[in-house]
Amino acid sequence: MKIILMGPPGSGKGTQASHIAEMAGVYSVSSGDLFRDNLSRNTELGQLAQSFMEKGEYVPDDVTIDMVMNWIEEPQHSDGFVIDGFPRTLAQAEALDEKLSNTGGVDRVVFFDVPEDDLVQRLSGRMICSSCQRPFHKMFSPPQRENCCDYCGEALYQREDDKPDVVRNRLHVYIRETEPVIDYFEKSGNLRRIDASLGISEVREALKEVLR
Ligand SMILES: [Zn+2]
C-alpha cells in the first residue's frame, strides 16, 4: 500500500507513520528524514539543498521532489510505503502522481485534523531548562515546581519558535500551502480525514479504519 500522511505540525502523524508502516510491513519516511539523510551523506541533492539553506532561502520544490523520488525508486520501497510530510505543495503532489502513474498511484492520503487552538497548545507548551537544556511541556510533562527544572533547579525558558504567536503563524503558513494539495487529493477520491485531536491509541484505530 502506498500511503501519504498529511497534517499540520503537532498533529501526531510522525508518531503514527512508523506504527502504520510496521503493521503494513513497509518502510516509512518523512521529508525531514530525507533532508537529514541527503545532507549527512553529502549527496548532490544534499549539497544543492544546503546551498539554498545557507543563503536563508527555501529549498525549491524540484530538489525536494528528487529526494523523495530517489527514495521511492529504491527496490525495498517498490511494494509500498508510508510518506509523512510530502507532498506539501501542488507541484509536489503532481510530481508524485506522475511518478506512480504506472503502478496505480497513491492508495490513500490521510489528513490528520486537529483544531488550531489544540495545536497551539500542544506546540507552544515546550519549556527548556536554561542550564541543562532538558525539555518539559506545560501540559504533557510539567516540571514539579513551576518554571524550575526538576533535575538542576534552574529556570525554564521558552524558545522563540515555541511562542504561541510564532506557532500560530507557522500553522497559517501550513494551511495556506497545503489547501491546494488537499483539494487535489479530494478530487481524486483518495483523501480521508481523521480526528487527530484524540489520544494516540484512538487515532491509531481511526487510521486503521480508513486504511482498511
Ligand atoms: Zn536543568
Side-chain angles (χ1 to χ4, degrees):
M1 242 193 158
K2 297 187 280 294
I3 300 162
I4 301 293
L5 303 185
M6 288 183 71
S11 61
K13 62 187 164 40
T15 311
Q16 303 291 350
S18 46
H19 178 77
I20 284 299
E22 207 173 294
M23 241 177 37
V26 297
Y27 288 91
S28 71
V29 78
S30 73
S31 47
D33 292 338
L34 288 177
F35 267 99
R36 280 186 290 276
D37 176 56
N38 276 276
L39 289 174
S40 72
R41 287 189 297 123
N42 205 24
T43 62
E44 219 170 292
L45 286 169
Q47 288 174 12
L48 197 56
Q50 189 145 36
S51 70
F52 287 98
M53 292 188 292
E54 273 167 2
K55 286 182 281 182
E57 289 170 15
Y58 281 111
V59 176
D61 260 352
D62 49 346
V63 178
T64 311
I65 290 168
D66 285 351
M67 282 184 189
V68 177
M69 297 309 150
N70 287 348
W71 185 84
I72 289 177
E73 268 170 18
E74 290 170 21
Q76 67 270 35
H77 306 139
S78 59
D79 287 344
F81 48 74
V82 178
I83 301 181
D84 154 21
F86 177 95
R88 254 187 95 145
T89 66
L90 193 54
Q92 291 178 359
E94 286 168 348
L96 181 69
D97 251 359
E98 200 189 311
K99 178 79 182 175
L100 300 176
S101 58
N102 47 7
T103 55
V106 174
D107 296 301
R108 270 285 176 273
V109 179
V110 183
F111 186 82
F112 283 53
D113 232 340
V114 183
E116 184 177 313
D117 286 344
D118 287 14
L119 289 172
V120 173
Q121 209 167 31
R122 287 183 189 182
L123 292 166
S124 66
R126 195 155 70 136
M127 306 290 290
I128 316 257
C129 172
S130 53
S131 173
C132 71
Q133 310 297 321
R134 282 194 173 90
F136 295 85
H137 192 285
K138 283 177 193 163
M139 281 174 70
F140 308 127
S141 56
Q144 283 172 355
R145 261 193 331 141
E146 206 182 332
N147 286 326
C148 280
C149 177
D150 288 350
Y151 301 93
C152 70
E154 292 299 319
L156 305 182
Y157 75 103
Q158 190 163 42
R159 285 186 0 183
E160 202 55 43
D161 273 4
D162 296 334
K163 293 195 169 152
D165 285 353
V166 179
V167 166
R168 210 173 275 280
N169 192 41
R170 193 155 76 233
L171 292 173
H172 291 169
V173 169
Y174 177 84
I175 292 165
R176 206 164 49 230
E177 202 173 52
T178 50
E179 237 162 27
V181 183
I182 291 167
D183 287 348
Y184 178 85
F185 286 124
E186 204 137 42
K187 277 185 200 129
S188 72
N190 286 333
L191 187 83
R192 298 289 181 278
R193 289 172 194 272
I194 57 171
D195 179 358
S197 65
L198 305 168
I200 290 182
S201 54
E202 284 108 327
V203 173
R204 187 165 291 171
E205 285 310 309
L207 189 54
K208 273 191 218 163
E209 201 56 46
V210 297
L211 294 177
R212 197 156 281 160

